[in-house]
Coordinates of all heavy atoms in Angstrom, one line a residue:
R1 N 120.7 -50.2 139.9 CA 121.6 -49.1 139.4 C 123.0 -49.7 139.2 O 123.7 -49.3 138.2 CB 121.6 -48.0 140.5 CG 122.1 -46.7 140.0 CD 121.1 -46.0 139.2 NE 121.6 -44.9 138.5 CZ 121.2 -44.5 137.3 NH1 120.2 -45.1 136.8 NH2 121.7 -43.4 136.8
D2 N 123.5 -50.5 140.1 CA 124.8 -51.1 139.9 C 124.9 -51.9 138.6 O 125.9 -51.9 137.9 CB 125.2 -52.0 141.1 CG 125.4 -51.2 142.3 OD1 125.7 -50.0 142.3 OD2 125.4 -51.8 143.4
W3 N 123.8 -52.6 138.3 CA 123.7 -53.4 137.0 C 123.9 -52.5 135.8 O 124.6 -52.8 134.9 CB 122.4 -54.2 137.0 CG 122.1 -55.0 135.8 CD1 120.8 -55.0 135.2 CD2 122.9 -55.8 135.0 NE1 120.8 -55.8 134.1 CE2 122.1 -56.3 134.0 CE3 124.2 -56.2 135.1 CZ2 122.6 -57.2 133.0 CZ3 124.7 -57.1 134.1 CH2 123.9 -57.6 133.1
Q4 N 123.2 -51.4 135.8 CA 123.3 -50.4 134.7 C 124.7 -49.9 134.6 O 125.2 -49.7 133.5 CB 122.3 -49.3 134.8 CG 122.3 -48.4 133.6 CD 121.1 -47.4 133.6 OE1 120.1 -47.7 134.1 NE2 121.4 -46.2 133.1
I5 N 125.3 -49.5 135.7 CA 126.7 -49.0 135.7 C 127.7 -50.1 135.1 O 128.5 -49.8 134.3 CB 127.1 -48.6 137.1 CG1 126.4 -47.3 137.5 CG2 128.6 -48.3 137.1 CD1 126.5 -47.0 139.0
Q6 N 127.5 -51.3 135.5 CA 128.3 -52.4 135.0 C 128.2 -52.6 133.5 O 129.2 -52.8 132.8 CB 127.9 -53.7 135.8 CG 128.7 -54.9 135.4 CD 128.2 -56.2 136.1 OE1 127.4 -56.1 137.0 NE2 128.7 -57.3 135.7
V7 N 126.9 -52.6 133.0 CA 126.7 -52.7 131.6 C 127.3 -51.5 130.8 O 128.0 -51.7 129.8 CB 125.2 -52.9 131.3 CG1 124.9 -52.8 129.8 CG2 124.7 -54.2 131.9
R8 N 127.1 -50.3 131.3 CA 127.6 -49.1 130.7 C 129.1 -49.2 130.6 O 129.7 -49.0 129.5 CB 127.2 -47.9 131.4 CG 127.8 -46.6 130.9 CD 127.4 -45.4 131.7 NE 126.1 -44.9 131.4 CZ 125.8 -44.1 130.4 NH1 126.7 -43.7 129.6 NH2 124.5 -43.7 130.2
E9 N 129.8 -49.6 131.7 CA 131.2 -49.6 131.7 C 131.8 -50.7 130.7 O 132.7 -50.5 130.0 CB 131.8 -49.9 133.1 CG 131.6 -48.6 134.0 CD 132.0 -48.8 135.4 OE1 132.2 -50.0 135.8 OE2 132.0 -47.8 136.1
A10 N 131.1 -51.8 130.7 CA 131.5 -52.9 129.8 C 131.4 -52.5 128.3 O 132.2 -52.7 127.5 CB 130.7 -54.2 130.0
A11 N 130.2 -51.8 128.0 CA 130.0 -51.4 126.6 C 131.0 -50.3 126.2 O 131.5 -50.4 125.1 CB 128.6 -50.8 126.6
E12 N 131.3 -49.4 127.1 CA 132.2 -48.3 126.8 C 133.6 -48.9 126.6 O 134.4 -48.4 125.7 CB 132.2 -47.2 127.8 CG 130.9 -46.4 127.8 CD 130.7 -45.4 128.9 OE1 131.4 -45.5 129.9 OE2 129.8 -44.6 128.7
R13 N 134.0 -49.9 127.4 CA 135.3 -50.5 127.2 C 135.4 -51.2 125.8 O 136.5 -51.3 125.2 CB 135.6 -51.6 128.2 CG 136.1 -51.1 129.5 CD 136.6 -52.2 130.4 NE 135.7 -53.2 130.7 CZ 134.7 -53.2 131.6 NH1 134.6 -52.2 132.4 NH2 133.9 -54.3 131.8
L14 N 134.3 -51.6 125.2 CA 134.2 -52.2 123.9 C 133.9 -51.2 122.8 O 133.5 -51.6 121.7 CB 133.3 -53.4 123.9 CG 133.7 -54.6 124.8 CD1 132.6 -55.5 125.0 CD2 134.9 -55.2 124.2
H15 N 134.0 -49.9 123.1 CA 133.9 -48.8 122.2 C 132.5 -48.5 121.7 O 132.2 -48.1 120.6 CB 134.8 -49.0 121.0 CG 136.2 -49.3 121.4 ND1 137.0 -48.3 121.9 CD2 137.0 -50.4 121.4 CE1 138.2 -48.9 122.2 NE2 138.2 -50.1 121.9
W16 N 131.5 -48.8 122.6 CA 130.1 -48.4 122.3 C 129.9 -47.0 122.8 O 130.4 -46.7 123.9 CB 129.1 -49.4 123.0 CG 129.1 -50.8 122.4 CD1 129.9 -51.8 122.7 CD2 128.2 -51.2 121.4 NE1 129.6 -52.9 122.0 CE2 128.5 -52.6 121.2 CE3 127.1 -50.6 120.8 CZ2 127.8 -53.4 120.3 CZ3 126.4 -51.4 119.9 CH2 126.8 -52.8 119.6
H17 N 129.1 -46.2 122.1 CA 128.6 -45.0 122.6 C 127.3 -45.2 123.3 O 126.4 -45.8 122.7 CB 128.5 -44.0 121.4 CG 127.9 -42.6 121.9 ND1 128.7 -41.7 122.6 CD2 126.7 -42.1 121.8 CE1 128.0 -40.7 122.8 NE2 126.8 -40.9 122.4
V18 N 127.2 -44.9 124.6 CA 126.1 -45.3 125.4 C 125.3 -44.1 125.8 O 125.8 -43.1 126.3 CB 126.5 -46.1 126.7 CG1 125.3 -46.5 127.5 CG2 127.4 -47.3 126.3
L19 N 124.0 -44.2 125.5 CA 123.0 -43.1 125.8 C 122.0 -43.7 126.8 O 121.5 -44.8 126.6 CB 122.3 -42.6 124.6 CG 123.2 -42.1 123.4 CD1 122.4 -42.0 122.1 CD2 123.8 -40.8 123.8
S20 N 121.6 -42.9 127.8 CA 120.6 -43.4 128.7 C 119.6 -42.4 128.9 O 119.8 -41.2 128.7 CB 121.3 -43.8 130.1 OG 121.9 -42.7 130.6
T21 N 118.4 -42.9 129.3 CA 117.3 -41.9 129.7 C 117.6 -41.3 131.0 O 118.3 -41.8 131.8 CB 116.0 -42.7 129.7 OG1 116.1 -43.7 130.7 CG2 115.6 -43.3 128.4
W22 N 117.0 -40.1 131.2 CA 117.2 -39.4 132.5 C 116.6 -40.3 133.6 O 117.3 -40.6 134.5 CB 116.4 -38.1 132.3 CG 116.4 -37.3 133.6 CD1 115.5 -37.3 134.6 CD2 117.4 -36.4 134.0 NE1 115.8 -36.4 135.6 CE2 117.0 -35.8 135.3 CE3 118.6 -35.9 133.5 CZ2 117.8 -34.9 136.0 CZ3 119.4 -35.0 134.2 CH2 118.9 -34.5 135.4
D23 N 115.3 -40.6 133.5 CA 114.6 -41.5 134.3 C 113.2 -41.7 133.8 O 112.9 -41.0 132.8 CB 114.7 -41.2 135.8 CG 113.9 -39.9 136.2 OD1 113.0 -39.5 135.4 OD2 114.2 -39.3 137.2
S24 N 112.5 -42.6 134.3 CA 111.2 -42.9 133.7 C 110.2 -41.7 133.8 O 109.3 -41.6 132.9 CB 110.5 -44.1 134.5 OG 110.4 -43.8 135.8
R25 N 110.4 -40.7 134.7 CA 109.5 -39.6 134.7 C 109.8 -38.6 133.6 O 109.0 -37.8 133.2 CB 109.7 -38.8 136.0 CG 109.3 -39.6 137.2 CD 109.7 -38.9 138.5 NE 111.2 -38.9 138.5 CZ 111.9 -38.3 139.4 NH1 111.3 -37.7 140.4 NH2 113.2 -38.3 139.3
H26 N 111.0 -38.6 133.0 CA 111.4 -37.7 131.9 C 111.5 -38.4 130.6 O 112.2 -37.9 129.7 CB 112.7 -37.0 132.3 CG 112.6 -36.2 133.5 ND1 112.9 -36.7 134.8 CD2 112.2 -34.9 133.7 CE1 112.7 -35.7 135.7 NE2 112.3 -34.6 135.0
S27 N 111.0 -39.6 130.4 CA 111.1 -40.4 129.2 C 109.8 -40.9 128.8 O 108.9 -41.1 129.6 CB 112.0 -41.6 129.4 OG 113.3 -41.1 129.9
P28 N 109.6 -41.2 127.5 CA 108.4 -41.8 127.0 C 108.2 -43.2 127.7 O 109.1 -43.9 128.0 CB 108.6 -42.0 125.5 CG 109.7 -41.1 125.1 CD 110.5 -40.9 126.4
A29 N 106.9 -43.5 127.9 CA 106.6 -44.8 128.5 C 107.3 -46.0 127.7 O 107.1 -46.0 126.5 CB 105.1 -45.0 128.6
G30 N 108.0 -46.8 128.4 CA 108.5 -48.0 127.8 C 109.9 -47.8 127.2 O 110.5 -48.7 126.7
E31 N 110.4 -46.6 127.2 CA 111.8 -46.3 126.6 C 112.8 -47.2 127.3 O 112.9 -47.2 128.5 CB 112.1 -44.8 126.8 CG 113.5 -44.4 126.3 CD 113.5 -44.2 124.8 OE1 112.4 -44.2 124.2 OE2 114.6 -44.1 124.3
P32 N 113.6 -47.9 126.5 CA 114.6 -48.8 127.1 C 115.7 -48.0 127.9 O 115.9 -46.8 127.6 CB 115.3 -49.5 125.9 CG 114.2 -49.5 124.9 CD 113.5 -48.2 125.1
D33 N 116.3 -48.6 128.8 CA 117.3 -47.9 129.7 C 118.5 -47.4 128.9 O 119.0 -46.2 129.2 CB 117.8 -48.8 130.8 CG 116.7 -49.2 131.8 OD1 116.0 -48.3 132.2 OD2 116.6 -50.4 132.1
L34 N 119.0 -48.2 128.0 CA 120.2 -47.8 127.3 C 120.1 -48.0 125.8 O 119.5 -48.9 125.3 CB 121.4 -48.6 127.7 CG 121.8 -48.6 129.2 CD1 123.0 -49.5 129.5 CD2 122.2 -47.2 129.6
R35 N 120.7 -47.0 125.1 CA 120.9 -47.2 123.6 C 122.4 -47.2 123.4 O 123.1 -46.3 123.8 CB 120.3 -46.0 122.9 CG 118.7 -46.0 122.8 CD 118.2 -44.7 122.5 NE 118.3 -43.9 123.7 CZ 118.2 -42.6 123.7 NH1 118.0 -41.9 122.6 NH2 118.3 -41.9 124.8
C36 N 122.8 -48.2 122.8 CA 124.3 -48.4 122.6 C 124.6 -48.4 121.1 O 124.0 -49.2 120.3 CB 124.8 -49.7 123.2 SG 124.4 -49.8 124.9
I37 N 125.5 -47.5 120.6 CA 125.8 -47.4 119.2 C 127.2 -47.7 119.0 O 128.1 -47.2 119.7 CB 125.5 -45.9 118.8 CG1 124.1 -45.5 119.1 CG2 125.9 -45.7 117.3 CD1 123.8 -44.0 119.0
H38 N 127.5 -48.6 118.0 CA 128.8 -49.0 117.7 C 129.0 -48.7 116.2 O 128.4 -49.4 115.3 CB 129.1 -50.5 118.0 CG 130.5 -50.8 118.1 ND1 131.4 -50.8 117.0 CD2 131.2 -51.1 119.2 CE1 132.6 -51.2 117.5 NE2 132.5 -51.3 118.8
V39 N 129.8 -47.8 115.8 CA 130.0 -47.4 114.4 C 130.7 -48.5 113.6 O 130.3 -48.8 112.5 CB 130.7 -46.0 114.3 CG1 131.0 -45.7 112.9 CG2 129.9 -44.9 115.0
V40 N 131.7 -49.1 114.2 CA 132.5 -50.1 113.4 C 131.6 -51.3 113.2 O 131.6 -51.8 112.1 CB 133.8 -50.4 114.2 CG1 134.5 -51.6 113.5 CG2 134.7 -49.2 114.3
Q41 N 130.9 -51.7 114.2 CA 130.0 -52.9 114.0 C 128.7 -52.5 113.3 O 128.0 -53.4 112.8 CB 129.6 -53.5 115.4 CG 130.7 -54.1 116.1 CD 130.2 -54.8 117.4 OE1 129.1 -55.3 117.4 NE2 131.0 -54.9 118.4
R42 N 128.5 -51.2 113.1 CA 127.3 -50.7 112.4 C 126.0 -51.2 113.1 O 125.1 -51.8 112.4 CB 127.3 -51.0 110.9 CG 128.5 -50.4 110.2 CD 128.6 -50.7 108.8 NE 127.4 -50.2 108.1 CZ 127.3 -49.3 107.2 NH1 128.4 -48.6 106.9 NH2 126.2 -48.9 106.7
R43 N 125.9 -51.1 114.4 CA 124.8 -51.6 115.2 C 124.3 -50.6 116.2 O 125.1 -49.8 116.7 CB 125.3 -52.9 115.9 CG 125.7 -54.0 115.1 CD 126.3 -55.1 115.9 NE 125.4 -55.8 116.8 CZ 125.8 -56.5 117.8 NH1 127.0 -56.6 118.1 NH2 124.9 -57.0 118.6
V44 N 123.1 -50.8 116.5 CA 122.4 -50.0 117.6 C 121.7 -51.1 118.5 O 121.0 -51.9 118.0 CB 121.4 -49.0 117.1 CG1 120.8 -48.3 118.3 CG2 122.1 -48.0 116.2
L45 N 122.0 -51.1 119.8 CA 121.3 -52.0 120.7 C 120.4 -51.1 121.6 O 120.8 -50.0 122.0 CB 122.4 -52.7 121.6 CG 123.5 -53.5 120.9 CD1 124.4 -54.0 122.0 CD2 122.9 -54.6 120.1
W46 N 119.3 -51.7 121.9 CA 118.3 -51.1 122.8 C 118.2 -52.0 124.0 O 117.7 -53.2 123.8 CB 117.0 -50.9 122.2 CG 117.0 -50.0 121.0 CD1 117.4 -50.3 119.7 CD2 116.6 -48.6 120.9 NE1 117.3 -49.2 118.9 CE2 116.8 -48.2 119.6 CE3 116.2 -47.7 121.9 CZ2 116.5 -46.9 119.2 CZ3 115.9 -46.4 121.5 CH2 116.1 -46.0 120.2
L47 N 118.7 -51.6 125.2 CA 118.7 -52.5 126.3 C 117.8 -52.1 127.4 O 118.0 -50.9 127.9 CB 120.2 -52.6 126.8 CG 121.3 -52.9 125.8 CD1 122.6 -52.9 126.4 CD2 121.0 -54.2 125.1
E48 N 117.0 -52.9 127.8 CA 116.2 -52.7 129.1 C 116.8 -53.6 130.1 O 117.0 -54.8 130.0 CB 114.7 -53.1 128.9 CG 113.8 -52.9 130.1 CD 113.8 -51.5 130.6 OE1 113.7 -50.6 129.8 OE2 113.8 -51.3 131.8
L49 N 117.3 -52.9 131.2 CA 118.0 -53.6 132.3 C 117.1 -53.7 133.5 O 116.5 -52.8 134.0 CB 119.3 -52.8 132.6 CG 120.2 -52.6 131.4 CD1 121.4 -51.7 131.9 CD2 120.7 -53.9 130.8
K50 N 117.0 -55.0 134.0 CA 116.1 -55.2 135.1 C 116.9 -56.0 136.2 O 117.8 -56.7 135.9 CB 114.9 -56.1 134.7 CG 113.9 -55.5 133.8 CD 113.2 -54.4 134.6 CE 112.1 -53.8 133.8 NZ 111.6 -52.6 134.5
K51 N 116.5 -55.8 137.5 CA 117.0 -56.6 138.5 C 116.5 -58.0 138.2 O 115.7 -58.3 137.4 CB 116.4 -56.1 139.9 CG 116.8 -54.8 140.3 CD 116.1 -54.4 141.6 CE 116.5 -53.0 142.0 NZ 115.8 -52.6 143.2
E52 N 117.1 -59.0 138.9 CA 116.9 -60.4 138.7 C 115.4 -60.7 138.7 O 114.9 -61.4 137.8 CB 117.6 -61.2 139.7 CG 117.9 -62.6 139.1 CD 118.7 -62.6 137.8 OE1 119.7 -62.0 137.7 OE2 118.2 -63.3 136.9
K53 N 114.6 -60.1 139.6 CA 113.2 -60.4 139.7 C 112.3 -59.2 139.3 O 111.1 -59.2 139.5 CB 112.9 -60.9 141.1 CG 113.5 -62.2 141.5 CD 113.1 -62.6 142.9 CE 113.8 -63.9 143.2 NZ 113.4 -64.5 144.5
G54 N 112.9 -58.2 138.7 CA 112.2 -57.0 138.3 C 111.2 -57.4 137.2 O 111.5 -58.2 136.3
L55 N 110.1 -56.7 137.2 CA 109.0 -57.0 136.2 C 109.2 -56.0 135.0 O 109.5 -54.9 135.2 CB 107.7 -56.8 136.8 CG 107.3 -57.7 138.0 CD1 106.0 -57.4 138.6 CD2 107.4 -59.2 137.6
V56 N 108.9 -56.6 133.8 CA 108.9 -55.8 132.6 C 107.4 -55.2 132.5 O 106.5 -56.0 132.5 CB 109.2 -56.6 131.4 CG1 109.1 -55.8 130.1 CG2 110.6 -57.2 131.5
S57 N 107.3 -53.9 132.4 CA 106.0 -53.3 132.3 C 105.4 -53.6 130.9 O 106.1 -53.9 130.0 CB 106.0 -51.8 132.5 OG 106.7 -51.2 131.4
A58 N 104.1 -53.4 130.8 CA 103.5 -53.6 129.5 C 104.0 -52.7 128.4 O 104.3 -53.1 127.3 CB 101.9 -53.4 129.6
S59 N 104.2 -51.4 128.8 CA 104.8 -50.5 127.8 C 106.2 -50.8 127.4 O 106.6 -50.7 126.3 CB 104.7 -49.0 128.3 OG 105.4 -48.9 129.5
Q60 N 107.0 -51.3 128.4 CA 108.4 -51.8 128.0 C 108.3 -53.0 127.1 O 109.1 -53.0 126.1 CB 109.1 -52.1 129.3 CG 109.5 -50.9 130.1 CD 110.0 -51.3 131.5 OE1 109.6 -52.3 132.0 NE2 110.8 -50.4 132.0
A61 N 107.4 -53.9 127.3 CA 107.3 -55.1 126.4 C 106.9 -54.7 125.0 O 107.4 -55.2 124.0 CB 106.4 -56.1 127.0
I62 N 106.0 -53.7 125.0 CA 105.5 -53.2 123.7 C 106.6 -52.5 122.9 O 106.8 -52.8 121.7 CB 104.3 -52.3 123.8 CG1 103.0 -53.1 124.3 CG2 104.0 -51.5 122.6 CD1 101.9 -52.3 124.8
V63 N 107.3 -51.7 123.6 CA 108.4 -50.9 122.9 C 109.5 -51.9 122.4 O 110.0 -51.8 121.3 CB 109.0 -49.8 123.8 CG1 110.3 -49.3 123.2 CG2 108.0 -48.7 124.0
I64 N 109.9 -52.9 123.2 CA 110.9 -53.9 122.8 C 110.4 -54.6 121.6 O 111.1 -54.8 120.6 CB 111.2 -54.9 124.0 CG1 111.9 -54.1 125.1 CG2 112.0 -56.0 123.4 CD1 113.3 -53.7 124.8
A65 N 109.1 -55.0 121.6 CA 108.5 -55.8 120.5 C 108.5 -54.9 119.2 O 108.8 -55.4 118.1 CB 107.1 -56.3 120.8
L66 N 108.1 -53.6 119.4 CA 108.1 -52.7 118.2 C 109.5 -52.5 117.6 O 109.7 -52.5 116.4 CB 107.5 -51.3 118.6 CG 106.0 -51.3 118.9 CD1 105.6 -50.0 119.5 CD2 105.2 -51.6 117.6
L67 N 110.5 -52.3 118.5 CA 111.9 -52.2 118.0 C 112.3 -53.4 117.2 O 112.9 -53.3 116.2 CB 112.8 -51.9 119.2 CG 112.7 -50.5 119.8 CD1 113.4 -50.5 121.2 CD2 113.3 -49.5 118.9
K68 N 112.0 -54.6 117.8 CA 112.4 -55.8 117.1 C 111.7 -55.9 115.7 O 112.3 -56.3 114.7 CB 112.1 -57.0 118.0 CG 113.0 -57.2 119.1 CD 112.7 -58.5 119.9 CE 113.7 -58.7 121.0 NZ 113.4 -60.0 121.7
A69 N 110.4 -55.6 115.7 CA 109.6 -55.6 114.5 C 110.2 -54.7 113.4 O 110.0 -54.9 112.2 CB 108.1 -55.3 114.8
A70 N 110.8 -53.6 113.9 CA 111.4 -52.6 113.0 C 112.8 -53.0 112.6 O 113.5 -52.2 112.0 CB 111.4 -51.2 113.7
G71 N 113.3 -54.2 113.0 CA 114.6 -54.7 112.6 C 115.7 -54.2 113.6 O 116.9 -54.4 113.3
Q72 N 115.4 -53.7 114.7 CA 116.4 -53.3 115.7 C 116.7 -54.4 116.6 O 115.9 -55.3 116.9 CB 115.8 -52.1 116.5 CG 115.5 -50.8 115.7 CD 116.8 -50.2 115.2 OE1 117.7 -49.8 116.0 NE2 116.9 -50.1 113.9
E73 N 117.9 -54.4 117.2 CA 118.3 -55.3 118.2 C 117.9 -54.7 119.6 O 118.4 -53.7 120.0 CB 119.8 -55.5 118.2 CG 120.3 -56.3 117.0 CD 121.8 -56.6 117.1 OE1 122.2 -57.5 117.8 OE2 122.5 -55.8 116.4
A74 N 117.0 -55.4 120.2 CA 116.4 -54.9 121.5 C 116.1 -56.1 122.4 O 115.5 -57.1 121.9 CB 115.2 -54.0 121.3
D75 N 116.3 -56.0 123.7 CA 115.9 -57.0 124.6 C 116.0 -56.6 126.0 O 116.6 -55.5 126.3 CB 116.7 -58.3 124.4 CG 115.9 -59.6 124.6 OD1 114.9 -59.5 125.2 OD2 116.4 -60.6 124.1
V76 N 115.5 -57.4 126.9 CA 115.6 -57.2 128.4 C 116.8 -58.1 128.9 O 116.9 -59.3 128.5 CB 114.3 -57.6 129.1 CG1 114.4 -57.5 130.6 CG2 113.1 -56.8 128.5
F77 N 117.6 -57.5 129.7 CA 118.7 -58.2 130.3 C 118.8 -58.1 131.8 O 118.5 -57.0 132.3 CB 120.1 -57.7 129.7 CG 120.3 -58.1 128.3 CD1 119.9 -57.2 127.3 CD2 120.9 -59.3 127.9 CE1 120.1 -57.6 125.9 CE2 121.0 -59.7 126.6 CZ 120.6 -58.8 125.6
R78 N 119.1 -59.2 132.5 CA 119.2 -59.2 133.9 C 120.6 -59.6 134.3 O 121.3 -60.1 133.4 CB 118.2 -60.3 134.5 CG 116.7 -59.9 134.1 CD 115.8 -61.1 134.5 NE 114.5 -60.8 134.0 CZ 113.6 -59.9 134.4 NH1 113.9 -59.2 135.5 NH2 112.4 -59.8 133.9
P79 N 121.0 -59.4 135.5 CA 122.4 -59.8 135.9 C 122.7 -61.2 135.6 O 123.9 -61.5 135.2 CB 122.4 -59.6 137.4 CG 121.4 -58.5 137.6 CD 120.3 -58.7 136.6
S80 N 121.8 -62.2 135.6 CA 122.1 -63.5 135.2 C 122.4 -63.7 133.7 O 122.9 -64.7 133.3 CB 120.9 -64.5 135.6 OG 119.7 -64.1 135.0
D81 N 122.1 -62.7 132.9 CA 122.3 -62.7 131.5 C 123.7 -62.0 131.2 O 124.0 -61.8 130.0 CB 121.2 -61.9 130.7 CG 119.9 -62.4 130.9 OD1 119.7 -63.7 130.9 OD2 118.9 -61.7 131.1
C82 N 124.5 -61.8 132.2 CA 125.7 -61.0 132.0 C 126.6 -61.6 130.9 O 127.1 -60.9 130.1 CB 126.5 -60.9 133.3 SG 127.9 -59.9 133.3
D83 N 126.8 -62.9 130.9 CA 127.7 -63.5 129.9 C 127.1 -63.4 128.5 O 127.9 -63.0 127.6 CB 127.9 -65.0 130.2 CG 128.8 -65.2 131.5 OD1 129.5 -64.3 131.9 OD2 128.7 -66.3 132.0
H84 N 125.8 -63.6 128.4 CA 125.2 -63.4 127.1 C 125.3 -62.0 126.6 O 125.6 -61.7 125.5 CB 123.7 -63.9 127.2 CG 123.0 -63.6 125.9 ND1 121.8 -63.0 125.8 CD2 123.3 -64.0 124.6 CE1 121.4 -62.9 124.6 NE2 122.3 -63.5 123.8
L85 N 125.0 -61.0 127.5 CA 125.1 -59.6 127.1 C 126.5 -59.2 126.7 O 126.7 -58.5 125.7 CB 124.6 -58.7 128.3 CG 124.7 -57.2 128.0 CD1 124.0 -56.8 126.7 CD2 124.1 -56.4 129.2
Y86 N 127.5 -59.7 127.4 CA 128.9 -59.4 127.0 C 129.2 -60.0 125.6 O 129.8 -59.3 124.8 CB 129.9 -60.0 128.0 CG 131.3 -59.4 127.9 CD1 131.5 -58.1 128.2 CD2 132.3 -60.2 127.3 CE1 132.8 -57.6 128.1 CE2 133.5 -59.6 127.2 CZ 133.8 -58.3 127.6 OH 135.0 -57.8 127.4
R87 N 128.7 -61.2 125.3 CA 128.9 -61.7 123.9 C 128.1 -60.8 122.9 O 128.6 -60.6 121.8 CB 128.4 -63.1 123.8 CG 129.2 -64.1 124.6 CD 128.9 -65.6 124.3 NE 127.5 -65.9 124.4 CZ 126.9 -66.3 125.5 NH1 127.6 -66.4 126.7 NH2 125.6 -66.6 125.5
V88 N 127.0 -60.3 123.2 CA 126.2 -59.4 122.3 C 127.1 -58.1 122.1 O 127.2 -57.7 121.0 CB 124.9 -59.0 122.9 CG1 124.2 -57.9 122.2 CG2 123.9 -60.3 122.9
L89 N 127.6 -57.6 123.2 CA 128.5 -56.4 123.0 C 129.7 -56.6 122.1 O 130.2 -55.7 121.5 CB 128.9 -55.8 124.4 CG 127.8 -55.3 125.2 CD1 128.3 -55.0 126.7 CD2 127.2 -54.0 124.6
Q90 N 130.2 -57.9 122.1 CA 131.3 -58.3 121.3 C 131.0 -58.6 119.9 O 131.8 -58.7 119.0 CB 132.0 -59.4 121.9 CG 132.7 -59.1 123.2 CD 133.4 -60.3 123.9 OE1 132.8 -61.3 124.0 NE2 134.7 -60.1 124.2
G91 N 129.7 -58.7 119.5 CA 129.3 -58.9 118.2 C 128.2 -59.9 117.9 O 127.7 -60.0 116.8
E92 N 127.9 -60.7 118.9 CA 126.8 -61.7 118.8 C 125.4 -60.9 118.6 O 125.2 -60.0 119.3 CB 126.7 -62.6 120.0 CG 125.7 -63.7 119.9 CD 125.8 -64.7 121.1 OE1 126.8 -65.3 121.3 OE2 124.8 -64.7 121.9
R93 N 124.6 -61.4 117.7 CA 123.3 -60.7 117.5 C 122.3 -61.1 118.5 O 122.2 -62.2 118.9 CB 122.8 -61.0 116.1 CG 123.7 -60.5 115.0 CD 123.7 -59.0 114.9 NE 124.6 -58.6 113.9 CZ 124.7 -57.3 113.5 NH1 123.9 -56.4 113.9 NH2 125.6 -57.0 112.6
I94 N 121.4 -60.1 118.9 CA 120.3 -60.4 119.7 C 119.2 -61.1 118.8 O 118.9 -60.5 117.7 CB 119.7 -59.1 120.3 CG1 120.7 -58.5 121.3 CG2 118.3 -59.4 121.0 CD1 120.2 -57.2 121.9
E95 N 118.7 -62.2 119.1 CA 117.7 -62.9 118.3 C 116.3 -62.3 118.6 O 115.9 -62.0 119.6 CB 117.7 -64.4 118.6 CG 119.1 -65.0 118.2 CD 119.4 -64.9 116.7 OE1 118.5 -65.0 115.9 OE2 120.6 -64.6 116.4

């Protein structure tokens, strides 16, 4: 939870509009934790946030792959990815 709060706050400081799911019980299977929209950058990011050793479920992996196949920027980020994620929020593209 702290990781999600940290990411949300960093994104909002950089002028992203951040949307999150209620929780997994009220969301479609595999729905990423955060959708971040930046009008000036003309970008939408789909972020699945995991603890350092947290497992990505099959449905989460499928949704991330589908989003990428549809041309969206989507990925899984862990606390050890903090520097990379901050660069993405500043404009670096998710590969």
Side-chain angles (χ1 to χ4, degrees):
R1 198 81 190 144
D2 290 340
W3 173 225
Q4 183 168 329
I5 291 168
Q6 181 182 351
V7 171
R8 176 185 280 277
E9 289 176 351
E12 289 173 346
R13 278 193 306 274
L14 293 168
H15 308 288
W16 289 86
H17 178 73
V18 181
L19 304 163
S20 59
T21 58
W22 177 268
D23 65 26
S24 60
R25 294 170 299 177
H26 296 93
S27 304
E31 178 78 12
D33 293 314
L34 299 178
R35 285 162 285 163
C36 303
I37 302 166
H38 201 290
V39 176
V40 174
Q41 291 187 33
R42 300 179 61 111
R43 296 171 66 201
V44 176
L45 303 176
W46 299 81
L47 308 177
E48 179 59 40
L49 304 175
K50 291 291 184 190
K51 293 179 184 176
E52 205 57 51
K53 295 183 180 182
L55 300 176
V56 176
S57 71
S59 59
Q60 289 169 331
I62 289 168
V63 169
I64 293 290
L66 289 170
L67 286 164
K68 287 181 173 185
Q72 296 291 300
E73 290 185 78
D75 215 339
V76 177
F77 290 92
R78 301 174 188 282
S80 60
D81 300 318
C82 185
D83 290 340
H84 176 232
L85 178 54
Y86 195 72
R87 289 191 310 271
V88 167
L89 293 171
Q90 291 179 307
E92 185 176 295
R93 297 288 176 173
I94 295 175
E95 298 297 322

